[in-house]
Amino acid sequence: MNLLDDRERLLAQIRAQMNQKRYDHTLGVAASAIELAQRYGADPEQAELAALLHDYCKCWPVEKMREVLVRHDLPQELIEGDKELWHAFAGAIVIQQELGVTDPAILNAVRYHTTGRKEMTLLEKVICVADYIEPNRSFPGVEEIRERSKHDLDHALAFALGGTITHLIERGKPVYPLTLLAYNDLVRKGGNG
Ligand code: DGI
Ligand code: FE
Ligand code: FE
């Protein structure tokens, strides 16, 4: 069964998890993800589904997210770390359990959409970059990421993650190790200059 076959039902289920702004963002990420998938040769259906589900838990109460992470034995480093990261890891578990998503490529694209990781798959990169560039986004540097994303996905993602790392450091916040691993991996392979 493909969840996209009953799109109306899927969208209603997603809409019920979040506020209007997050839902608009979700639809924006789906549109950007399809475009990137077409440009770089990822499967557009996988990209659309992963994008629609990527922030499934974003608006959940933190206690509900924490419970999912604890129940599934996720690393202490994550549970003690920034709550902003929880929705991605909880989301990958919840969409499997509540919606029956089984495709590991989609589950990993949701799981790593915030932090990234070393050796990201094409689909993971597509979702991560789409999350940064979707039409509703506006933050310093977004135009540069959009421009880079038209030519080189790795280059776009390295720049985007670099911006997030800088932003975190400027605010005295910790950087989750996976984000550094993702950034280093992309820069080593293709550069960020
Ligand atoms: O859920 P979204 O708002 O659409 O975007 P997201 O899933 O990329 O969430 C990003 C937030 O997480 C952003 O405000 C930065 C914050 N954050 C906190 N610690 C880290 C982090 N982001 C990354 N990539 N790495 C971190 O260590
Ligand atoms: Fe997110
Ligand atoms: Fe998002």
Side-chain angles (χ1 to χ4, degrees):
M1 189 205 58
N2 184 344
L3 284 170
L4 287 172
D5 290 345
D6 193 346
R7 181 179 301 263
E8 224 168 282
R9 184 186 149 97
L10 175 67
L11 293 179
Q13 179 102 14
I14 293 166
R15 176 68 188 90
Q17 312 302 318
M18 56 188 68
N19 58 41
Q20 186 65 45
K21 188 162 179 251
R22 183 58 46 181
Y23 185 63
D24 292 344
H25 161 72
T26 293
L27 298 181
V29 176
S32 294
I34 291 170
E35 221 179 289
L36 291 172
Q38 282 163 347
R39 183 171 297 132
Y40 292 103
D43 179 342
E45 287 209 352
Q46 265 185 332
E48 182 178 17
L49 186 53
L52 288 173
L53 296 173
H54 87 283
D55 275 342
Y56 193 82
C57 288
K58 179 83 177 186
C59 294
W60 281 25
V62 286
E63 274 318 314
K64 201 170 160 190
M65 280 191 273
R66 186 208 296 274
E67 197 191 289
V68 173
L69 300 178
V70 170
R71 186 153 29 92
H72 290 268
D73 249 349
L74 269 88
Q76 208 51 35
E77 186 171 38
L78 179 68
I79 295 168
E80 286 166 2
D82 196 324
K83 297 175 184 59
E84 285 290 330
L85 307 180
W86 292 0
H87 72 286
F89 293 87
I93 293 167
V94 169
I95 60 169
Q96 187 169 15
Q97 294 186 334
E98 285 191 7
L99 303 177
V101 177
T102 53
D103 183 347
I106 290 179
L107 297 175
N108 282 333
V110 172
R111 182 174 291 117
Y112 298 111
H113 86 264
T114 305
T115 56
R117 63 165 167 168
K118 196 177 175 197
E119 285 164 7
M120 291 171 77
T121 64
L122 176 59
L123 183 68
E124 288 165 20
K125 291 173 188 172
V126 161
I127 298 304
C128 203
V129 171
D131 197 13
Y132 278 102
I133 66 168
E134 65 95 1
N136 302 294
R137 286 282 204 215
S138 71
F139 56 86
V142 69
E143 278 311 328
E144 168 97 28
I145 307 172
R146 287 190 178 119
E147 198 46 44
R148 288 185 182 214
S149 75
K150 292 175 188 150
H151 311 288
D152 185 332
L153 192 63
D154 285 4
H155 203 223
L157 185 52
F159 183 79
L161 290 174
T164 297
I165 292 168
T166 304
H167 185 86
L168 291 167
I169 290 172
E170 279 169 359
R171 280 156 188 75
K173 290 188 167 185
V175 179
Y176 198 68
L178 285 179
T179 303
L180 294 170
L181 292 173
Y183 174 79
N184 287 346
D185 190 39
L186 292 162
V187 169
R188 259 186 223 117
K189 286 174 182 163
N192 180 30

